[in-house]
Amino acid sequence: MENETTKDVTATLEEDYRGRTPRSQELFERARKTMPGGAKGAYFHQPYPLTMARGEGCYLHDVEGQRYVDFANHHTAQVLGHNNPAVIDAIQKQMTKGIALGAPVGIEAELCEEMCRRVASLDRIRFCNSGTEATLHAIRLARGVSGRVKIAKFEGGYHGSHDVVEISSAPSLDKVGSETAPNPVPSAGGMSPHAAEEVVVLPFNDEASVERLITQHRDELACIIFDTKAGIVPQRKEFVQFVGEIARKNDLLFILDEIVGFRVGTGGLQEYYGVTPDLTAYGKVVGGGFPVGAFGGRADIMDLLDGTRGSTGFFQSGTFSAHPITMAAGLATLKQLTPEAFDHLNGLGDRLTAGLNELFTRENIAAKAVNTGSVFSIHFTSEDLINYRSLARTDKAMAHRVFLALLAEGYFLSHGLSMNAISLPTETRHVDGLIEAVGRAIKSR
Ligand SMILES: Cc1ncc(COP(=O)(O)O)c(C=O)c1O
């Protein structure tokens, strides 16, 4: 949604950015010679991403030596911020004992116990190395148990990068078709052409259409997988509960994706919304900053992975699954996620979006700040945000300008301003500072 004036503003902001960050540009130009795009896909933004030198508490320092308050926190994973002393200590202790020993080391069971203690629906849990693996294995279990192949997922739901969940994770609006019966749209080249045939795409926040589609396809479906998009789309508790109930009513396994949402409280999103999934997928915060995924739930399903009593026909493993360093960091992280810690994190999230929405109203800016606990997003739109399509229509060019303006002020957010997160060392003054900086950014852009 750029016009000539906003294009000039963007160009000026990008020029300022280049002026402030020559070393990052140099490193980016070097990296792109051997890495497609210079880094993993999610890092890129125009004109190039910052290269960070280090993190400390709620701050990041780039290679130029400039300091930023970190409101992205590694795609929400760094709930304790950077270099948390207890996490560093736990990692160091484990490292001196051994990094990867080709056998259980004991900490993995402690972390599993901690997760099962926190989350009522978890009888058993298995660790892997990414959220992608977690949803892959949860879906595989659901298919195996039900003997059915298709899955139901929501339009715009992101559950990682294996084929079946990359259907309609971010479809282009000219391909999506009917609002009430969305087309299954592959999100990347090279995906199996069968993936689209294996997915029933559900419209978010639309009970009647979800009920109709599920009833129509129930005999072919193994499960419903659901990410509530907490902190991205305004949440309706009744809708989350409805999805759980519709799965139950139609004899489908209910898989909740808490890969982002788990940071909302001790028992995660399911406690927050009062739902009981059959299986839940985890990632991000449970690895304490290291690569992680986990899936768990009902004992009768999870025990299909228990080969100790003879073959069940199911199997899951991985060279670095339940890696000792990850387990040590994850356990040290969860131990610090006390009810008081969640109160602090969630209080700051509420304060931030209240302040931002007040600002947008006062300045008559078509924008909305959304949070669930400590995960938050800023969207430039006058529309009600109810589903993927309304998110896809928000003003991304404005978000880019505000993102760059905030960097200049020393605030690091995700580059689309969506799915940001607050870390525990963050204080009220950082949140209030961000609100004021957004105020200056929107006035001049
Ligand atoms: C809701 C959700 N599910 C799944 C994933 C995939 O996790 P990973 O990137 O660890 O594979 C992500 C990643 O951002 C996510 O946000």
Side-chain angles (χ1 to χ4, degrees):
M1 293 173 222
E2 293 260 67
N3 56 36
E4 287 314 310
T5 316
T6 58
K7 270 188 197 156
D8 285 350
V9 175
T10 305
T12 307
L13 283 163
E14 289 184 358
E15 208 178 295
D16 290 351
Y17 177 82
R18 287 178 206 276
R20 286 194 318 276
T21 60
R23 182 91 185 106
S24 282
Q25 178 160 22
E26 214 176 280
L27 290 166
F28 170 71
E29 295 302 343
R30 174 183 163 183
R32 71 192 302 199
K33 292 190 182 126
T34 49
M35 298 169 73
K40 71 179 186 189
Y43 281 156
F44 184 74
H45 61 76
Q46 291 294 350
Y48 51 83
L50 288 177
T51 298
M52 292 299 175
R54 65 190 178 89
E56 192 68 51
C58 67
Y59 297 109
L60 289 172
H61 300 257
D62 71 10
V63 286
E64 243 74 42
Q66 290 160 144
R67 191 178 82 164
Y68 304 85
V69 184
D70 187 6
F71 279 102
N73 283 298
H74 201 87
H75 314 286
T76 75
Q78 290 292 76
V79 67
L80 301 179
H82 304 284
N83 279 349
N84 176 270
V87 173
I88 299 292
D89 186 50
I91 295 166
Q92 282 173 344
K93 283 203 174 107
Q94 183 54 44
M95 289 216 307
T96 58
K97 293 185 204 160
I99 294 173
L101 305 178
V105 295
I107 316 175
E108 56 280 80
E110 280 182 64
L111 182 53
C112 289
E113 282 160 15
E114 183 65 29
M115 291 291 292
C116 293
R117 193 181 59 72
R118 285 173 179 246
V119 183
S121 76
L122 290 181
D123 299 326
R124 310 268 194 276
I125 187 160
R126 256 294 164 89
F127 277 90
C128 46
N129 283 308
S130 65
T132 295
E133 274 182 78
T135 60
L136 183 154
H137 287 293
I139 288 172
R140 188 180 285 175
L141 277 174
R143 286 171 158 174
V145 167
S146 65
R148 303 181 207 127
V149 172
K150 286 193 180 180
I151 68 157
K153 75 174 285 287
F154 285 86
E155 189 171 60
Y158 182 68
H159 306 287
S161 52
H162 54 101
D163 278 10
V164 82
V165 293
E166 279 274 36
I167 294 298
S168 296
S169 54
S172 127
L173 287 182
D174 57 356
K175 298 211 171 80
V176 290
S178 154
E179 187 118 11
T180 54
N183 292 335
V185 183
S187 294
M191 287 169 56
S192 163
H194 301 297
E197 295 160 15
E198 293 176 357
V199 179
V200 174
V201 183
L202 305 172
F204 197 86
N205 259 334
D206 175 354
E207 278 92 335
S209 300
V210 170
E211 180 145 30
R212 180 178 42 76
L213 288 164
I214 293 293
T215 311
Q216 192 182 333
H217 294 280
R218 54 180 285 177
D219 295 337
E220 310 160 286
L221 284 169
C223 61
I224 302 180
I225 184 163
F226 186 32
D227 160 27
T228 73
K229 295 199 103 56
I232 301 174
V233 181
Q235 304 276 284
R236 279 200 303 126
K237 184 177 183 173
E238 320 81 71
F239 184 68
V240 180
Q241 294 180 339
F242 164 81
V243 175
E245 277 155 29
I246 201 87
R248 195 84 62 239
K249 233 169 75 183
N250 288 281
D251 198 23
L252 309 178
L253 290 182
F254 177 35
I255 303 176
L256 191 64
D257 179 338
E258 293 216 32
I259 287 162
V260 173
F262 185 55
R263 61 150 52 225
V264 77
T266 309
L269 270 187
Q270 51 200 268
E271 181 181 59
Y272 194 76
Y273 289 123
V275 292
T276 308
D278 299 295
L279 294 172
T280 306
Y282 295 96
K284 304 211 193 262
V285 303
V286 301
F290 286 85
V292 79
F295 59 103
R298 278 168 43 188
D300 61 318
I301 302 174
M302 290 302 292
D303 282 348
L304 291 168
L305 298 174
D306 178 355
T308 60
R309 283 165 258 173
S311 171
T312 60
F314 290 80
F315 184 72
Q316 179 275 334
S317 191
T319 303
F320 291 117
S321 288
H323 192 283
I325 305 297
T326 310
M327 298 295 100
L331 187 61
T333 297
L334 286 198
K335 282 186 174 161
Q336 293 175 75
L337 290 178
T338 59
E340 296 73 35
F342 284 117
D343 283 350
H344 175 71
L345 287 163
N346 297 350
L348 289 181
D350 291 344
R351 181 183 181 100
L352 176 63
T353 54
L356 287 173
N357 285 322
E358 219 172 88
L359 167 79
F360 298 145
T361 307
R362 198 170 60 238
E363 299 298 330
N364 201 18
I365 296 285
K368 293 180 174 69
V370 176
N371 79 298
T372 302
S374 57
V375 182
F376 70 95
S377 303
I378 303 170
H379 304 291
F380 292 97
T381 182
S382 51
E383 262 188 78
D384 283 342
L385 291 166
I386 49 163
N387 56 22
Y388 168 73
R389 297 185 191 197
S390 51
L391 276 185
R393 287 189 289 261
T394 60
D395 187 345
K396 308 290 188 298
M398 175 73 168
H400 179 57
R401 292 193 295 278
V402 171
F403 164 72
L404 290 175
L406 290 175
L407 284 180
E409 294 242 15
Y411 294 93
F412 185 82
L413 277 76
S414 76
H415 54 80
L417 304 184
S418 186
M419 210 173 94
N420 301 285
I422 296 168
S423 68
L424 198 58
T426 309
E427 297 170 20
T428 305
R429 65 191 165 97
H430 299 115
V431 162
D432 292 350
L434 176 60
I435 298 168
E436 284 166 25
V438 171
R440 288 187 290 276
I442 56 175
K443 268 192 190 154
S444 52
R445 318 294 158 209

